[in-house]
Amino acid sequence: MTPEARIQMDRANMESLFGRLSTERVPVRVHDIIIKGNTKTKDSLIESEVEALPAAAAGRAVAKRLQGLDIFDSINITLDAGPPELPGTANVVIQVSEAKMLTGNVGVYSKPEARSWSLEGLAQLKNFFGYGDLWDASVSYGWGQTSEVSTGVSLPRFKSISTPLSARISLLSQDWLKFSSYKEQGLGLSLGLLSTGNHDLSYNLSWRTLTDPSQMSSHTVRRQLGHSLSSALKYVFKIDRRDSPMRPTSGHAFVSTTQIGGLFPDIRSLRFIRQVSSQGDWVPLSLEDLSENSSNENSDDTGIDHIGGDLALTGFADLSFDLPLKVFRDAGIHGHVFACTGSLNKLTENAYKGFSLQKFRDSFRSCVGAGIIIPTKLFRMEVNYCYILKQLEHDQGKTGKKGNLLAGMGVNCWQEAPNTNSESDGMENSKTTPPDQIEGEENENGSSNSTVEETSGKKVNSGSVRQYVRSKTPRLRWTPELHLCFVHAVERLGGEESEPS
Amino acid sequence: MEDGRGERERLTLVARKPCFGLPTSCPKCLPVYIYLKFSKIPFSLEFNLIRPDSDQLPFVESGDYVAYNNEKGGTIQKLKEDGIVDLDSEASGIPEWVSMKAMVESWLAEAVMYELWVGSDHKSADKIYYSDLPWPIGKILYFKQVHSVKQLLGITSDNAERREEEIYGRAAQAYGALSSWLGEQSFFFENRPTSLDAAFLGHVLFTLHALPETSVLRSKLLSHANLVNYAENLKMEYVDANSSSSSVPQTDPSSSASRRGSKPKSKPKREKTEEEKKFRRRAKYFLATQLVAVLVFLSLLGGSNDADVELGDSDDGLDYE
């Protein structure tokens, strides 16, 4: 066979093997897991994350799980041949590059539901003790409404508990003087006990103080003012099968939140049970949808304080359609018409005795509207016109135009990590391995090339506001050394016998 | 609902909880209760157990009218000025009466504050203020209150003893003066109850019943027999006799939108003329339109730049070097 033909055959074999390794599952008997590149992170953390996966996991699943820890910039999973006395086994080499430890973020965000803006700052410390711990501190200042200072820590695993644990302390101050003549201050401690894909269990202990410095509150509000301790367990169950969170066209979602208060430590803490369920269905070209508009405006003159109720039921229907002109369709600008209704009823204090179906039907308020949604790179803008069909006495709803900006603009800053591997591009990792090491290894047991590279993290251009997210398709830059290694590996793994599919 | 509204039209006193055999055991709430009892106006008594540190308590409400304790010199003063109940119309012109009242409201009030928070142990204060709050909150609020009382009375670690002597000395002086002025009468002014009687009776009842037996202030008071008799007699006649309309402690956790009639006062609002309103609305629309146009322009322009970057970057596959 001529050298050219041989090279051609080698190349064809290598390409086919590469194709198979990256798309199919090639079963490999793993002898050992070798972890490289972790200066701070404890080996035990990475090993336990890998071992938590089922034995038949693919390299991609392992990388995804480690990426989920949010402490690595890039993760390489490499297959190395096992010890020569055990043929047919392989060593899995996990090469990680740790992320920058301290990052910060400042931004101005809008909250259309509350018709307010807030300035938020967040500082995050990653992996301080090497156990994948994430520490963060955040400050949020909302003009005239809510301000919050909080700090928290989250651990991916703690000793034998394999689900993430988190703890958070927060100081909150809310100003409802304009609507209900009271101010609320709270000091809270929240512990996340259990958090898997669909389930979330947490415990909240908080000291709430309601005061009325304006001294204009109503009878009912006056009776509620004071100090209270709320000690509650909260369980959230959610299913999200929408095809896109921003503009879903099919699927369904269900969220159920249950809170039980007053268990411990002190029986004088607030006793309550609260259940919130919401269900949404999306059907393409149909009338059922969940949209996040609120269509009641509160005007400035308040004569009545509004506090709440025991049974709340709301329904939304939204039909969204593309606009006829092509230029709008390309930009993603679409229109929608919506209708919504809701009711709030008091059931406690014997009010349920006077509760009838007729009264329930009468308590529903409703409105309809139409609008245009303009999603842009920076923000998502909606302009809606709402018309109130029915409102009850003392509601303060206003018919009219309303604009929403769902925006987030922020500035990121970060601290350079101590290890100088500042390139977050997995592609270059193959270059950083010194060539003589490869040759040395090749002599002993040969090494195959990276087959799956997952790049995690974001590459931020420090001059622009936008974040550039690198796509996660596997890439490869071929060098002659790698070619030789690959050919060797192919021979060891029996690639010569395989045919390109 | 109608019954609820009817009840709310009635005069209601919201005070701190009853204890030690007293209808309300807080030294600030007791004088208001006694004043209303003296006036023989029917009123209902409600308790608030979760606001130990608020200076708005005690307050008197009737319909939409509320007289808080931190307005206009106290609840009693506000009730007098608003014409709801005034027992002092004649007495307030007499200089001795005024100075006696000032003495009770400054020296004796300070003495009680000192004795309750600094002089004695925490048991009385806990029972009156914090027994219905969860333990961690109660403890923290207690320490906060002790600290603020010390600040108010000007007590530091250096002058603690000196201040204590001063406070007790003044209280003893006040007792002596009041005792000699009262003599064997049943009231301080012309055999008719006034707010001075309400304030002093409240003080004496609290000192005798709520403070512990070891209290220095209590022993100083007990040395004036006529004051003790005065208090016991009035207690029997006004406080114990018709221990009537005190309702069960209302601590309803639920709430509802409350209905309210016309308010006697409205929030201070700037007077806006029609033209100003129109002008502001137009200015808002103009600014909003400008902002939106700029943002849309930026984002669409940013969009076209982005397209170039995307094209140049997607070289997948193998580059054989």
Side-chain angles (χ1 to χ4, degrees), chain A residues 215 222-223 268 466 468, chain B residues 46 61 70 131 306 313:
Chain A
Q215 301 195 167
R222 278 202 294 272
R223 295 296 182 271
R268 288 168 297 192
R466 245 176 318 123
Y468 173 61
Chain B
E46 281 183 18
E61 59 183 19
N70 58 357
S131 57
D306 207 44
D313 209 37

Side-chain angles (χ1 to χ4, degrees), chain A residues 204-223:
Chain A
N204 299 315
L205 181 70
S206 73
W207 172 6
R208 271 174 81 220
T209 306
L210 301 178
T211 57
D212 175 23
S214 70
Q215 301 195 167
M216 308 253 315
S217 52
S218 69
H219 178 92
T220 325
V221 174
R222 278 202 294 272
R223 295 296 182 271

